[in-house]
Amino acid sequence: MSQLKLIKKILFCFILTISTYSINAQVNDTLSFVKSKRMSDDDLAKKREGTFITGLPDFSSDPVTGFGFGLRSNVYWNGERTNPLFAYTPYLAKLKANAAYYTSNARELILSLDVPYYKGTRWRFKIDFKAQQNPANLYFGSTESTLGNLRLPSNENITFSTYEAFDKARKTLRPGGIGEASFVTDALSNRFRETEYMLNLKGDYAIGNGKWRVMGGYEIQNLSYKTFEGEEAEAINPNSGEETTAPNGFSLLQRDFNQGLISGLNGGWISILQTALIYDTRDFEPDPTKGYYFEIANEYSGKYIGSQFDFNKLFIQARAYQKLPFGKRTVIAGRFGVGNIFGSNAPFFEFQDQWSPEGSINALGGKQSLRGYRANRFLARSTWFTNIEIRYRIAETKLGKQRFAFGVAPFFDAGTVRDEWQNLNFKNIRYSYGLGARIAWNQSTILSFDYGISKEDKLFYIGIGQAF
């Protein structure tokens, strides 16, 4: 063997050894700080190896967007049990692809890739893309006055204690005002259509013993909005009680925009820098049995990064999970969140959710916060809310290679909103309660069914994933 070939072989072996050592060192470094996130022995014994797909028809139901059908699928890369990270991660990678259409004519396409502990390192990367159009968004105002009873857009002196009575009154024909038809309905006066295209890139890095993570991200959106003045909508003849149709009257959102009470109705480009500090000791992210999750999350938008709006959103959230000493798998889960929007030019649509690295939370009302109230029922610059669930597993079964677990989850939700964060307190709270059912498919995919009750409404939701 020539000296040149010998040198090449020695260099190749050296590089291979160093690379193998480096990878093993990275994995060992990762293992050194994820010990607290080890799955329970019971869950670990049921965790599936390899690559598999969970796909199911989307038969979701929401009181606002209506009945939805489509496809929700996940591709999981779990690796083998011999992988040192197998017992400490929900998966090595997950690709989510969702497409759905709703009876309200809403539609969405969502693609998401999540890679925790990338190549055995402390890094986690997420990429999200969304294209959606929803003509069933609700708007009841953007100040703490929304905490009052429901009011007609055309006559705020008339109030209603239940949504059913409010909805009937909106549809009742009334004489049109300036710029309206002779007789109009207000059936669509609290609604608006949103069209959104969004791309989000995030990365976080585990520090110290791995319980703490720092995250940075960038999001770009293009948004457009439409209200429904003059469009044919449901109506009720006040004399005969017969159902008919009529032009819709002036919308509440358009009126608030014309009066300078809100901004953003013209939509546009929104460029956002995201940062977060996270503390996480949950043992299994999709469905924890123990651990804590805490975050301080911030979104900054401004002209210096190419945005048409200037605002800063701060959100603080804490969650806790504890297994109870009865039943095979009984967990009490709790969450508390508080958020505020800074900036006089903050657009109205930013009031409708609180951003979290775990996924945005619609606030206040709907399946993610107050399950007995319609989505965005209470909006203002500042908000706090809390949720408590007792997740009790009833039975488990295996069909072929698929594992299923069935449980119930009674819950209690509460929260409120304020125009200034200094005024946040425990007065004028809205709350709801109800019962949920859960089906865990191969542990990582959770099918949720929730029935929420409030003094204003009774609402049923079907979806994928725990509320928190």
Side-chain angles (χ1 to χ4, degrees), residues 92-164:
L92 296 180
K94 181 180 79 169
L95 175 64
K96 178 173 70 175
N98 297 345
Y101 176 83
Y102 299 84
T103 52
S104 63
N105 203 31
R107 62 202 73 179
E108 68 178 11
L109 171 66
I110 296 175
L111 300 173
S112 178
L113 177 65
D114 181 17
V115 186
Y117 305 119
Y118 174 72
K119 290 188 176 181
T121 69
R122 293 170 175 256
W123 283 100
R124 180 175 193 162
F125 296 104
K126 292 183 180 181
I127 303 174
D128 299 292
F129 170 79
K130 178 169 67 173
Q132 66 96 13
Q133 185 177 90
N134 185 0
N137 286 290
L138 293 176
Y139 178 79
F140 300 96
S142 59
T143 69
E144 63 183 85
S145 64
T146 55
L147 290 170
N149 286 339
L150 292 158
R151 300 172 184 270
L152 286 177
S154 58
N155 190 344
E156 294 190 343
N157 294 321
I158 303 176
T159 64
F160 303 87
S161 59
T162 67
Y163 196 88
E164 183 180 12

Side-chain angles (χ1 to χ4, degrees), residues 208-220:
N209 61 8
K211 296 179 181 179
W212 289 95
R213 307 200 311 268
V214 289
M215 192 225 79
Y218 174 74
E219 180 172 298
I220 186 167

Side-chain angles (χ1 to χ4, degrees), residues 212-233:
W212 289 95
R213 307 200 311 268
V214 289
M215 192 225 79
Y218 174 74
E219 180 172 298
I220 186 167
Q221 298 172 290
N222 182 261
L223 300 170
S224 60
Y225 296 93
K226 175 179 171 54
T227 53
F228 302 111
E229 288 85 0
E231 294 199 12
E232 287 292 309

